[in-house]
Amino acid sequence: MSTTNYLTCSKGWKSWFLTLDHKRIGVMYLTAVLSSFALGGLFALAVRLELFQPGQQFMDPTTYNRMFTLHGAVMVFLFIIPSIPAAFGNFVLPIMLGAQDVAFPRLNLASFYLWMAGAVFFLVSLLGGGIETGWTFYTPYSTTTADSSVVSALMGVFVLGFSSIFTGMNFIVTIHQMRPKGMTWFKMPLFLWAIYGTALIQVLATPVLGITGLLLIVERVAHIGVFDPALGGDPVLFQHFFWFYSHPAVYIMILPAMGIVSELIAAGSRKEIFGYRFIAFSSIAIAILGFLVWGHHMFTSGQSVAASVVFSALTFTVAIPSAIKVFNWLSTMYKGAIVLNTPMCYGLSFISLFGIGGLTGLFLGTLSVDIHLHDTYFIVAHFHYVMMGSTAVAFMGGLHYWWPKMFGKMYNEALARVCCLFVFIGFNLTFLPQFVLGTRGMPRRYFDYPERFQFLHQLSTIGAVMLFITFFVMFSYLLHSLVRGKPAPMNPWGANTNEWKCSSPPPFNNFDVPPPMENPYDHTNLVFDEKLGGYRAKQVINS
Amino acid sequence: MSNNHHNENDHGGHPSFLAHHFSSPQQQYDAGKLGIWLFLVTEVLFFSGLFCAYAVYRFNHPEIFRYAHFFLDTTMGAINTVVLILSSLTIAWAVRAVQLNQRRLAVGMLVVTLLCAAAFMVIKYIEYTHKFHMGLTWGESFAPSAEALREVLGEAHGEVLEKPANLHLFFSIYFCMTGLHGIHVLAGIGVIIWMIVRTARGDFSSEYFGPVEYTALYWHIVDLVWIFLFPLLYLID
Ligand SMILES: [Cu+2]
């Protein structure tokens, strides 16, 4: 074990803010996206509290519109999209490969600063009065009727898009070119397959968001008329452009989460992952199919029936690779020696919440049903099951899984498991009632509602408060562990991927000699060692 | 930056141009090449939004495009096309020269490329000012002068054209597409200047020429976009 690690090898603010080390950049991203998560969470809490009773509680309708818009925009663009790839991907990708860094360390740092610039634009738009268009920036709200700082928010989206593109480019090149000898494609951990699929989408879809944002800015500032029917333009064209990115973006959010879950389930089941190649290729299949289904957002926008039928059929095909993953995870657990540590609890939580989120997507992909459910709370519940119940839960799972590696400290395991349970309960309490609200006709984004919906809205708000308290406790024990936590062993979960073969935290160089490239899911050679508090290789005598 | 050289001693045999995390010049070159190709893919997709908008409006309103293209100066557009094709040749020549260690020739070719890029922008500037002068601008601000309308009828060679509604949409698209392309030319000018400086001071050789080649690839894509823009905007019939 080396005496210094990447956290202690150099000091001073410059050594962080000008660092080219992928691990430090990962940690900076982690801090940044967690702050955004907290900010977006506060907006969500404000929305839920306002909806506790019918009528106005403590904010007027315009403020309410701004709150849900900021909640959506901050959560999507500042938190979920960068979260797993930029924070955990940056940290573990080179180490999992056995490489020293990503292919373009300077570009990596530049993407982080682009993220910061995007966040500044969002803050400017927040201080400039907020935005009330909804996170989708639909015309004519964004071009004509919204009376607020839409332009700076769009600038933020544009810049954040490029941050995401550069991260994706970096990861694709790293996976193609930086694999050391012996690290073949099929020895890569499944998290990397997921990150690779994600990077493909980031590179191939995000530029379209960039140009859409620019056109919208030009439309709003110079009134060019491309999206404005008063000038002969077509507002539905905007929806096509927007969803051409924003549907694949859903897979930018969920694919890396699935990658994490593959790692959590394999390590927690103490068994080799079942159907490695199926899981790997299903990531790529999801990435490709994700480009062909954007029209399912426009079933009620005057799109032709023929187009809707095709988009509907293609939408169902996405269920195939998603189900392949779920069945393989379940088969991995079958006859495994399941250890219910915190990461595994999050993995299990993900599978059940993603199950609900995915299956309710089928209702929405069905044309006749979607006519009724479109723009109701049903869809709000559906995408929260996918984005929060799945992605954010997997993110928390990854956070607990890699935390000991990143900071070399263990958190309070018992408290962490209790929090995981409360995230699960609080989440379901918040969003299950919303499915019912939606099927009973409660439209999304409304400020007010009739008396008969009150009970379900109140359940939802209580769930949101519960989530808020749980996350507060979670951040407290995580921060506490940095100061008072037990030192983490090299391999606390008994996983065989490469990041567990270097010290916790890793040395600056990751590896002085590249580790042996083995089957990443072969756990047979690892035994738990009470003295270490973690796993070690069987034949090595503890020194 | 300090981290970059942190472990310099571990790699005693590395040439100075090789970054510490690569194991060989070949790996560094391949990584850069794949990186620039991916970047070019994103550039194509970035423009594709505008090409898509063009296709939608041209399909739905062919009469706007037919009428409006008479306002554009085909000669200016053609000269610019030739200028850009020439610059693509010279920058490719510069790459070849660097690979053969012909530093002076490489600098010369890069300077010619730079002059072509500048000429393109000057001609574009003349075209733009003429359009502004005639009131041929985008969207709401579109207000063609009588002179401009007369010019179109002259161009149409006696063919009587009825002025279609929403003519401004053509100019919205024209200014978006050529404007975005122009920004890419300006960015290219910046990068080419940087490459001239680096080539002149001897950073590159037959061992290490990646950055010049990546710049050339970028410049080719800028050229290629224009080769599509020229017929789509100027040569409608
Ligand atoms: Cu979608």
Side-chain angles (χ1 to χ4, degrees):
Chain A
M1 262 218 225
S2 54
T3 46
T4 66
N5 57 55
Y6 82 100
L7 292 168
T8 56
C9 68
S10 50
K11 286 199 165 60
W13 67 271
K14 267 192 180 171
S15 75
W16 278 88
F17 286 93
L18 298 177
T19 185
L20 298 177
D21 178 17
H22 67 98
K23 299 182 285 301
R24 286 193 172 190
I25 294 174
V27 170
M28 291 199 290
Y29 260 123
L30 183 65
T31 321
V33 296
L34 283 175
S35 315
S36 311
F37 181 66
L39 183 66
L42 284 174
F43 292 133
L45 193 65
V47 168
R48 280 315 322 164
L49 290 176
E50 172 58 45
L51 291 170
F52 195 67
Q53 284 171 338
Q56 180 167 338
Q57 314 307 315
F58 57 91
M59 52 173 126
D60 58 65
T62 307
T63 314
Y64 170 83
N65 288 348
R66 289 176 179 175
M67 281 298 141
F68 75 67
T69 302
L70 284 166
H71 163 65
V74 167
M75 282 299 197
V76 168
F77 294 111
L78 287 175
F79 172 64
I80 311 183
I81 287 182
S83 63
I84 297 172
F88 300 134
N90 252 321
F91 193 93
V92 299
L93 163 65
I95 312 185
M96 276 181 161
L97 288 178
Q100 290 203 354
D101 209 320
V102 292
F104 309 119
R106 281 199 197 93
L107 188 67
N108 203 13
L109 185 64
S111 351
F112 177 70
Y113 282 108
L114 282 176
W115 185 94
M116 291 289 266
V120 168
F121 276 118
F122 267 70
L123 283 179
V124 167
S125 118
L126 176 64
L127 298 175
I131 31 172
E132 66 258 31
T133 60
W135 78 275
T136 50
F137 295 100
Y138 266 24
T139 54
Y141 304 131
S142 52
T143 51
T144 323
T145 55
D147 166 34
S148 51
S149 42
V150 177
V151 171
S152 67
L154 285 169
M155 286 299 294
V157 169
F158 179 78
V159 171
L160 288 168
F162 274 86
S163 166
S164 178
I165 289 174
F166 291 149
T167 302
M169 273 171 52
N170 222 334
F171 287 0
I172 292 179
V173 177
T174 305
I175 289 175
H176 274 275
Q177 303 287 350
M178 305 299 279
R179 279 176 291 124
K181 229 179 157 178
M183 175 51 81
T184 58
W185 281 88
F186 293 109
K187 278 188 182 160
M188 289 201 314
L190 289 165
F191 179 63
L192 297 190
W193 276 94
I195 286 285
Y196 184 77
T198 309
L200 286 177
I201 311 174
Q202 285 176 302
V203 167
L204 297 177
T206 320
V208 178
L209 176 74
I211 194 68
T212 311
L214 273 191
L215 276 173
L216 209 48
I217 292 173
V218 179
E219 180 73 66
R220 188 173 170 91
V221 174
H223 306 286
I224 57 170
V226 174
F227 297 139
D228 184 357
L231 292 166
D234 183 357
V236 179
L237 185 65
F238 170 79
Q239 297 184 18
H240 277 286
F241 279 8
F242 181 81
W243 289 112
F244 181 83
Y245 165 76
S246 293
H247 186 83
V250 172
Y251 300 113
I252 296 179
M253 305 175 202
I254 194 72
L255 266 181
M258 291 168 156
I260 289 183
V261 171
S262 298
E263 305 300 329
L264 304 187
I265 297 289
S269 304
R270 314 298 317 128
K271 211 177 131 221
E272 186 168 347
I273 192 100
F274 186 86
Y276 173 94
R277 286 188 187 223
F278 276 95
I279 299 183
F281 285 127
S282 63
S283 289
I284 307 301
I286 289 177
I288 295 167
L289 290 174
F291 278 97
L292 308 174
V293 302
W294 79 88
H296 64 212
H297 295 269
M298 291 175 294
F299 288 161
T300 62
S301 300
Q303 179 178 251
S304 79
V305 176
S308 291
V309 168
V310 172
F311 279 125
S312 170
L314 286 169
T315 299
F316 290 129
T317 63
V318 181
I320 298 168
S322 308
I324 285 176
K325 281 184 192 286
V326 173
F327 292 136
N328 279 302
W329 293 326
L330 295 178
S331 310
T332 305
M333 291 187 329
Y334 179 66
K335 289 190 174 170
I338 294 173
V339 186
L340 283 178
N341 51 37
T342 314
M344 185 63 178
C345 291
Y346 277 104
L348 295 174
S349 181
F350 173 96
I351 294 180
S352 40
L353 297 177
F354 177 72
I356 299 175
L359 289 172
T360 50
L362 297 177
F363 295 57
L364 295 165
T366 312
L367 290 172
S368 52
V369 181
D370 184 67
I371 298 296
H372 298 281
L373 296 178
H374 188 87
D375 267 351
T376 67
Y377 265 60
F378 190 91
I379 193 150
V380 176
H382 159 69
F383 70 70
H384 278 89
Y385 265 86
V386 179
M387 288 185 189
M388 185 180 181
S390 309
T391 305
V393 160
F395 177 85
M396 295 306 157
L399 187 64
H400 286 84
Y401 183 66
W402 283 306
W403 186 268
K405 183 56 65 183
M406 293 176 103
F407 301 106
K409 293 291 165 75
M410 297 302 287
Y411 44 82
N412 185 329
E413 180 68 33
L415 190 55
R417 265 177 286 185
V418 171
C419 278
C420 177
L421 181 66
F422 274 94
V423 169
F424 185 80
I425 297 172
F427 176 82
N428 281 302
L429 189 56
T430 311
F431 292 104
L432 267 180
Q434 297 192 3
F435 281 122
V436 184
L437 278 172
T439 48
R440 293 191 183 169
M442 171 81 207
R444 71 190 285 201
R445 291 179 172 167
Y446 274 31
F447 172 72
D448 200 1
Y449 55 82
E451 204 89 1
R452 66 176 187 278
F453 291 142
Q454 188 177 352
F455 176 65
L456 290 167
H457 270 296
Q458 286 185 337
L459 284 182
S460 184
T461 302
I462 292 167
V465 172
M466 196 178 204
L467 278 174
F468 186 79
I469 296 169
T470 311
F471 281 122
F472 185 78
V473 174
M474 185 193 296
F475 290 144
S476 308
Y477 71 68
L478 284 176
L479 290 176
H480 179 262
S481 80
L482 288 181
V483 192
R484 291 282 161 81
K486 275 190 302 178
M490 198 181 209
N491 191 353
W493 320 117
N496 201 33
T497 45
N498 284 338
E499 78 272 31
W500 306 107
K501 293 172 191 166
C502 61
S503 57
S504 304
F508 171 76
N509 230 11
N510 298 348
F511 299 101
D512 288 328
V513 184
M517 302 299 170
E518 308 157 332
N519 174 352
Y521 298 107
D522 180 8
H523 301 131
T524 48
N525 203 26
L526 293 162
V527 283
F528 189 76
D529 186 321
E530 288 290 345
K531 261 185 281 174
L532 292 173
Y535 288 76
R536 63 172 168 78
K538 254 180 202 161
Q539 70 270 43
V540 177
I541 297 147
N542 189 21
S543 53
Chain B
M1 293 305 282
S2 60
N3 283 342
N4 205 7
H5 301 288
H6 196 268
N7 283 284
E8 217 165 33
N9 299 338
D10 299 353
H11 307 276
H14 270 198
S16 61
F17 58 79
L18 186 60
H20 85 286
H21 59 291
F22 290 113
S23 57
S24 68
Q26 186 64 37
Q27 190 188 30
Q28 173 167 315
Y29 172 77
D30 288 343
K33 192 113 181 208
L34 181 58
I36 193 73
W37 275 107
L38 284 171
F39 178 69
L40 297 186
V41 168
T42 67
E43 287 284 19
V44 169
L45 283 160
F46 195 60
F47 275 100
S48 73
L50 291 177
F51 280 103
C52 185
Y54 175 95
V56 167
Y57 284 106
R58 180 150 176 198
F59 181 77
N60 288 335
H61 307 286
E63 73 287 356
I64 295 180
F65 286 75
R66 164 124 174 83
Y67 188 93
H69 94 280
F70 288 120
F71 288 112
L72 300 188
D73 189 332
T74 313
T75 320
M76 294 266 202
I79 294 173
N80 258 349
T81 309
V82 173
V83 164
L84 275 193
I85 292 176
L86 178 67
S87 74
S88 252
L89 172 71
T90 54
I91 201 164
W93 201 335
V95 175
R96 185 72 190 141
V98 173
Q99 288 170 343
L100 297 175
N101 284 321
Q102 299 162 326
R103 197 202 296 180
R104 296 188 63 176
L105 179 64
V107 172
M109 281 301 154
L110 285 171
V111 170
V112 177
T113 313
L114 184 67
L115 292 177
C116 287
F120 178 90
M121 288 313 289
V122 169
I123 293 174
K124 207 77 226 155
Y125 175 79
I126 296 169
E127 277 191 85
Y128 271 21
T129 38
H130 184 66
K131 296 279 167 306
F132 291 144
H133 183 71
M134 298 283 217
L136 300 171
T137 50
W138 50 83
E140 239 173 32
S141 63
F142 182 73
S145 63
E147 190 192 346
L149 290 172
R150 230 178 301 123
E151 235 176 64
V152 166
L153 292 181
E155 286 276 337
H157 303 298
E159 188 186 337
V160 182
L161 288 173
E162 204 180 320
K163 190 176 153 220
N166 297 319
L167 195 52
H168 55 262
L169 280 176
F170 177 86
F171 288 94
S172 298
I173 290 171
Y174 168 83
F175 279 106
C176 283
M177 293 183 107
T178 56
L180 190 66
H181 178 259
I183 291 170
H184 279 80
V185 174
L186 287 177
I189 288 177
V191 183
I192 291 168
I193 291 176
W194 177 229
M195 284 304 124
I196 291 174
V197 172
R198 289 191 66 185
T199 312
R201 76 176 183 216
D203 282 8
F204 303 121
S205 65
S206 56
E207 304 274 276
Y208 176 55
F209 51 82
V212 187
E213 191 177 340
Y214 310 149
T215 309
L217 283 169
Y218 168 78
W219 190 252
H220 293 323
I221 209 83
V222 172
D223 185 12
L224 198 63
V225 169
W226 177 259
I227 287 175
F228 280 95
L229 288 182
F230 175 59
L232 286 178
L233 294 169
Y234 291 75
L235 305 179
I236 299 170
D237 238 331

